[in-house]
Amino acid sequence: MDRWKGKVAIVTGASSGIGAAVVKALANAGLIVVGLARRVERVEALRAEVNESAAKHLHAIRCDITREEDILAAFRQIGQRFGGVDVLINNAGIAVGDVTLFTPANTAQLRRVVDTNVMGLVVCSREAFQSMKERS
């Protein structure tokens, strides 16, 4: 992990579960970590769970992965504050209970899953790629 020290890592779905664990691990490994989440206060609370130097390099930006304008704004802010992205961990994702493809009247639930798990991932990947390309 030494080669990644000081690099900028973005973690989506950073407020809980695997995302929160990844944020803490990357920050403790010396990366500058930006957690994207709807509940930024939960990402900010992770500072208390990492070592003191890591806490200084752990940042949170409010971002609803289902909203392209939120993603674009977050990546603009990351570019301005940190110079761009070196690592992207596309962790955000949802599963909707017992809704299946053929469940009646399931359009809203399916749209939420697709917007989060597919569109959010694709838009974040696109923006990270552009940033990485600019940074060579």
Side-chain angles (χ1 to χ4, degrees):
M1 288 292 286
D2 283 344
R3 74 178 245 188
W4 298 104
K5 283 187 178 176
K7 300 292 185 181
V8 179
I10 310 306
V11 180
T12 68
S15 63
S16 64
I18 294 170
V22 169
V23 164
K24 292 187 294 188
L26 294 177
N28 281 327
L31 282 80
I32 298 166
V33 181
V34 181
L36 302 184
R38 290 172 296 162
R39 299 169 293 195
V40 292
E41 66 282 352
R42 291 175 95 184
V43 178
E44 291 165 347
L46 297 174
R47 288 188 189 115
E49 300 178 34
V50 297
N51 66 54
E52 190 176 329
S53 65
K56 296 175 190 171
H57 298 292
L58 197 160
H59 309 275
I61 295 177
R62 189 197 175 291
C63 183
D64 181 341
I65 293 299
T66 66
R67 299 172 46 88
E68 183 176 10
E69 57 273 17
D70 279 14
I71 296 170
L72 298 178
F75 275 86
R76 267 193 309 276
Q77 188 175 353
I78 292 161
Q80 292 165 351
R81 290 176 61 190
F82 307 105
V85 179
D86 297 302
V87 176
L88 172 66
I89 307 295
N90 265 320
N91 171 70
I94 61 168
V96 182
D98 57 356
V99 174
T100 69
L101 200 54
F102 303 109
T103 302
N106 66 353
T107 304
Q109 293 96 337
L110 290 176
R111 185 165 282 122
R112 213 170 113 229
V113 170
V114 169
D115 286 349
T116 303
N117 299 358
V118 178
M119 292 307 298
L121 178 140
V122 169
V123 174
C124 285
S125 296
R126 179 190 70 202
E127 296 305 308
F129 173 77
Q130 293 304 319
S131 178
M132 292 173 190
K133 193 166 97 174
E134 287 173 14
R135 292 162 63 90
S136 297

